[in-house]
Amino acid sequence: MIHSLTSIHPDARLAPDVQVDPFSMIHKNVEIGAGTWIGSNVTIMEGARIGKNCKIFPGAVISADPQDLKFDGEDTTVQIGDNTTIREFVTIHRGTRDRWTTRVGRNCMILAYSHIAHDCIIGDNCILSNNSQIAGHVVLGDWVILGGMCAIHQFVRVGSHVFLGGGSLVGKDIPPYIKAARMPLSYSGVNSVGLKRRGFTIDKINHILDIYRVIYNKGMNTSQALEYLEEEFPASDERDEIVAFIRESGRGIIKRYSKSSFDEDYAD
């Protein structure tokens, strides 16, 4: 399963059925789980922890040193979850002493030429389309989908189930369950299509829509909107997740495009 024209450090630990194609290099202190395929011309550097049944395509570089002037050679890792696909020429850098790891979740697709910088946390079931550029310390929740050529500023947080339009420049946090697009990046409605595909009921989607109407359409500032939601809306996992995300935002959340923007209908 391992081609003779590969270079694998004797201290690397590979499951017996890992397949490694020619001209790839695997450094020391690397672990690769069962059923994983490593394409040709892949470089997997010290600190990589790659799960089961992953696919890593030609030209990818996993666990290179972070591009951070504060990095001082500390012992850090990259963790790749099971069943994740990493396409051509993706780069994923290992962590620094901030989080000690860079993590990509299970069942993700990281498409060609994307970059995930040090100390990022990528949730499960995420899709990063071609040329996604993720700066250091970014957190993406589960089920996030990025359109092609998105660029996300360091320390930004993106909530679960977010759909981000292609070519977006992200400098503020994006709350859960929504779509974000336009220039400057703005709230573009609830990600109702994605939520339906993942089994959310119509009532649940409309509940989320009502929450975001308060946040973006009712003329309140953010603090007023959160207080209103906690006092007037029935408690739910979605309400609590949205409110907690916004309260914990360090960079502030994206705004609505304009007050005259289309007010979306209820889901049906």
Side-chain angles (χ1 to χ4, degrees), residues 55-265:
K55 295 181 179 179
I56 302 181
F57 280 72
V61 179
I62 310 298
S63 202
D65 285 355
Q67 297 174 141
D68 185 338
L69 294 175
K70 299 184 298 297
F71 180 68
D72 194 29
E74 52 264 34
D75 185 10
T76 60
T77 62
V78 162
Q79 301 177 42
I80 309 294
D82 297 344
N83 306 305
T84 284
T85 296
I86 297 171
R87 294 303 304 246
E88 296 83 353
F89 300 101
V90 167
T91 53
I92 303 176
H93 289 175
R94 63 192 179 104
T96 69
R97 65 181 68 251
D98 176 52
R99 290 192 174 117
W100 299 98
T101 193
T102 301
R103 187 166 69 242
V104 177
R106 300 183 300 273
N107 307 309
C108 292
M109 289 189 65
I110 315 299
L111 301 189
Y113 296 97
S114 294
H115 173 67
I116 299 173
H118 59 89
D119 301 289
C120 287
I121 305 296
I122 310 298
D124 297 336
N125 304 294
C126 292
I127 299 174
L128 278 60
S129 297
N130 293 37
N131 287 290
S132 295
Q133 303 296 303
I134 315 298
H137 315 277
V138 167
V139 177
L140 305 186
D142 296 340
W143 297 101
V144 170
I145 298 178
L146 307 185
M149 301 184 70
C150 290
I152 302 184
H153 193 281
Q154 60 187 5
F155 294 102
V156 161
R157 296 169 61 232
V158 179
S160 59
H161 299 280
V162 163
F163 180 88
L164 183 60
S168 295
L169 303 177
V170 186
K172 290 186 175 294
D173 294 345
I174 305 176
Y177 307 111
I178 70 171
K179 299 175 292 185
R182 302 189 177 99
M183 291 287 288
L185 188 69
S186 307
Y187 167 75
S188 298
V190 168
N191 184 17
S192 56
V193 172
L195 296 178
K196 286 179 185 177
R197 290 173 177 169
R198 293 160 205 153
F200 282 69
T201 66
I202 296 302
D203 287 344
K204 188 70 71 175
I205 294 170
N206 284 329
H207 173 62
I208 295 169
L209 279 165
D210 285 336
I211 291 170
Y212 279 109
R213 280 197 168 100
V214 171
I215 294 170
Y216 284 114
N217 293 359
K218 300 302 182 185
M220 303 178 187
N221 64 35
T222 301
S223 297
Q224 292 169 336
L226 297 182
E227 290 176 5
Y228 181 89
L229 289 171
E230 291 180 321
E231 293 174 1
E232 303 296 334
F233 267 58
S236 68
D237 292 341
E238 292 74 23
R239 186 207 68 169
D240 294 345
E241 180 180 358
I242 293 166
V243 169
F245 182 97
I246 296 173
R247 287 199 189 282
E248 294 167 5
S249 173
R251 299 186 59 83
I253 63 170
I254 62 172
K255 304 301 183 184
R256 190 173 179 86
Y257 184 65
S258 71
K259 292 183 179 180
S260 61
S261 295
F262 174 70
D263 187 8
E264 61 188 324
D265 293 331

